[in-house]
Amino acid sequence: MAEMSVRYTYRVRPSRTAEGLLLAEWNRDRWVWNECVARSRALRLAGEMCGPARLDKDLTQARQANQWLRDGSSVAQQQTIRDFGAARTKAIKDIQKRLAMRQRRGFPVLKKKALAHPSMNYTRRGFSLQDGQLHLAGGIVLSVVWSRGLPSDPTSVRVSRDAAERWWASFVVKVDSEPLLETGRVIGIDWGVTEIATTTDSEFDLAHPQHGKTAAAKLARYQRMMARRRPPKGKPASKGYQTAKRQAAEVYGQVARRRTDHARKWAKGVVRAHDQIAVEDFKPKFLANSTMARKAADGAIGQAKRELIWMAAKHERDLRLVDPAYTTMDCGDCGARAKHRLLLSERTYTCSACSVVKPRDKNSAQVMINRAGFLPAGVDRIRLDSPTETRAA
Ligand SMILES: [Zn+2]
């Protein structure tokens, strides 16, 4: 058994006082974050190092100089610097991977008051649980809706407010993995637009959930309401506009929760039935000019992939991510590579070497297994165990 970190998230219902304190804390943390962004930019331009130690020192000075900053918790403010440092390190690593130094995508940016959702992280030093309530540094006490128990002592908590203006507390806890019985089965998974996942095991193909469609009508109504009430530039938004905006965010939330549920159940089924899982390492591009259908598909794929990776880790299955380059050109049966790329409209793969004819996505799913280095032993074993073979013997 291995130990792993998971998030347990609960709804928080802060009192009016507590919410005021949270927002004040958030405003100070946001200021610290924006200072980090501005300072690291300035120091980088001056050719100087800008590590967390330097930013910590600057924070100490700023707290000495400003009473309003001193009113806030130093733990939360220091944590903001840690979070900034982590976000920056991740962006630098990503850039090194992409080897595209001109694109500074993913770098921490300024958090604007009207756009950024409040979100604060507290490590063990900055929070405690007493009598079922969450106590944060700075004397903030919150009532948590304990929809389920925490499996162990949390190591950190993130308190945040979503677009529908609901507060959440998300605890990081350590849990033990739960190994499952071996099944001797292998699966290959290819992601797509028409089906979220096409697999070598048709039982586990994943269609697009239809939840979106029923919610789409409601969403369109709120969006029309928002359009009618949109404030002129520079003018504050009206009550009606804000209400429509919150209602739209609630519908989004419902769709997202149902989609998560759908993806999680699918991932659990896949992981329960297979020891070895070969998955296309899909990376969404989120291009500005891509269609809404493409964007929705990318979102659904990203989520299904995350759930699958997490579920495989939880149950100690062998999951391997496969580079998707040329997967539509390679033959899953004999390994030959076609000379030309298949057009997106061509739904059938025909191999010129071994003359196999297969649905395009099924072929790609098979290529995943081969690329992952999984021997098709599991597939053979199933054939041997099948009723026809047993009768023959
Ligand atoms: Zn072939």
Side-chain angles (χ1 to χ4, degrees):
M1 263 192 303
E3 210 180 38
M4 54 194 291
S5 290
V6 240
R7 278 195 178 278
Y8 272 58
T9 305
Y10 303 88
R11 185 77 188 270
V12 170
R13 298 191 192 281
S15 64
R16 197 166 284 241
T17 324
E19 183 165 43
L21 291 172
L22 278 171
L23 290 174
E25 195 74 301
W26 160 244
N27 279 333
R28 285 183 289 260
D29 289 351
R30 198 168 55 81
W31 182 86
V32 171
W33 174 278
N34 290 346
E35 277 293 298
C36 287
V37 174
R39 242 159 237 243
S40 76
R41 209 172 275 163
L43 286 168
R44 199 181 61 241
L45 289 175
E48 281 183 60
M49 290 289 285
C50 176
R54 172 75 188 257
L55 294 168
D56 270 337
K57 221 176 97 194
D58 290 351
L59 176 63
T60 311
Q61 282 174 1
R63 276 176 70 88
Q64 276 162 4
N66 298 291
Q67 176 66 47
W68 63 270
L69 203 55
R70 260 195 325 272
D71 287 343
S73 142
S74 65
V75 176
Q77 289 165 14
Q78 279 162 2
Q79 188 56 41
T80 303
I81 293 176
R82 299 282 100 74
D83 294 342
F84 171 82
R88 200 166 162 273
T89 308
K90 187 178 173 294
I92 291 170
K93 271 194 196 143
D94 284 355
I95 280 194
Q96 281 162 351
K97 256 190 253 163
R98 282 201 301 273
L99 296 169
M101 289 304 284
R102 258 174 296 171
Q103 283 177 289
R104 295 185 61 83
R105 212 149 39 106
F107 261 75
V109 292
L110 296 177
K111 290 183 178 175
K112 290 184 185 145
K113 188 169 186 183
L115 295 176
H117 297 302
S119 173
M120 290 161 279
N121 287 312
Y122 294 86
T123 46
R124 202 53 264 209
R125 208 150 67 83
F127 77 97
S128 64
L129 293 168
Q130 289 161 35
D131 305 323
Q133 288 188 308
L134 173 59
H135 292 245
L136 299 176
I140 306 173
V141 182
L142 300 171
S143 301
V144 180
V145 182
W146 297 106
S147 45
R148 55 179 172 165
L150 278 169
S152 60
D153 251 2
T155 53
S156 69
V157 64
R158 180 168 65 217
V159 177
S160 61
R161 195 179 72 177
D162 63 18
E165 299 190 355
R166 290 165 306 199
W167 286 91
W168 303 90
S170 178
F171 296 92
V172 174
V173 289
K174 295 255 190 265
V175 295
D176 287 328
S177 64
E178 300 162 20
L180 290 169
L181 285 177
E182 281 186 31
T183 62
R185 290 170 73 183
V186 186
I187 191 170
I189 298 171
D190 179 65
W191 308 112
V193 180
T194 42
E195 304 261 336
I196 298 182
T198 303
T199 73
T200 47
D201 201 342
S202 292
E203 202 190 318
F204 293 98
D205 286 355
L206 180 65
H208 267 283
Q210 295 302 304
H211 315 133
K213 269 188 191 158
T214 40
K218 253 198 216 169
L219 205 54
R221 208 181 99 223
Y222 295 134
Q223 278 165 346
R224 276 197 303 276
M225 280 161 73
M226 280 168 71
R228 272 201 306 274
R229 292 159 188 177
R230 196 174 299 284
K233 218 173 182 170
K235 294 271 164 62
S238 69
K239 262 245 155 66
Y241 177 82
Q242 281 169 341
T243 307
K245 193 175 155 196
R246 203 178 48 243
Q247 283 167 324
E250 268 165 32
V251 178
Y252 268 126
Q254 278 166 13
V255 172
R257 274 193 300 282
R258 268 184 235 143
R259 204 173 69 179
T260 304
D261 195 50
H262 187 71
R264 196 165 288 168
K265 277 183 187 141
W266 171 78
K268 183 133 208 174
V270 169
V271 164
R272 193 177 285 147
H274 303 91
D275 298 339
Q276 295 180 309
I277 303 160
V279 186
E280 178 191 349
D281 193 5
F282 172 84
K283 298 227 167 56
K285 289 183 195 78
F286 294 114
L287 297 171
N289 59 356
S290 58
T291 61
M292 281 310 283
R294 177 76 245 185
K295 278 180 191 153
D298 281 5
I301 292 168
Q303 185 160 37
K305 184 181 151 195
R306 274 195 304 279
E307 293 293 342
L308 193 62
I309 291 172
W310 187 82
M311 204 60 86
K314 182 180 174 190
H315 297 297
E316 295 189 18
R317 294 307 206 195
D318 187 358
L319 180 144
R320 295 184 197 174
L321 293 169
V322 178
D323 182 355
Y326 301 111
T327 42
T328 54
M329 290 166 75
D330 286 5
C331 173
D333 276 38
C334 74
R337 178 163 296 172
K339 285 193 187 68
H340 303 287
R341 198 173 287 275
L342 251 72
L343 294 171
L344 210 63
S345 55
E346 294 175 64
R347 303 314 301 169
T348 312
Y349 181 91
T350 311
C351 179
S352 53
C354 73
S355 63
V356 71
V357 180
K358 263 189 179 179
R360 169 208 178 102
D361 298 339
K362 287 284 167 197
N363 179 64
S364 296
Q366 183 59 47
V367 173
M368 297 302 157
I369 294 186
N370 302 346
R371 289 259 186 101
F374 291 146
L375 293 171
V379 178
D380 285 342
R381 206 149 86 204
I382 291 164
R383 266 186 216 141
L384 285 174
D385 292 344
S386 71
T388 41
E389 293 284 329
T390 317
R391 248 179 311 194

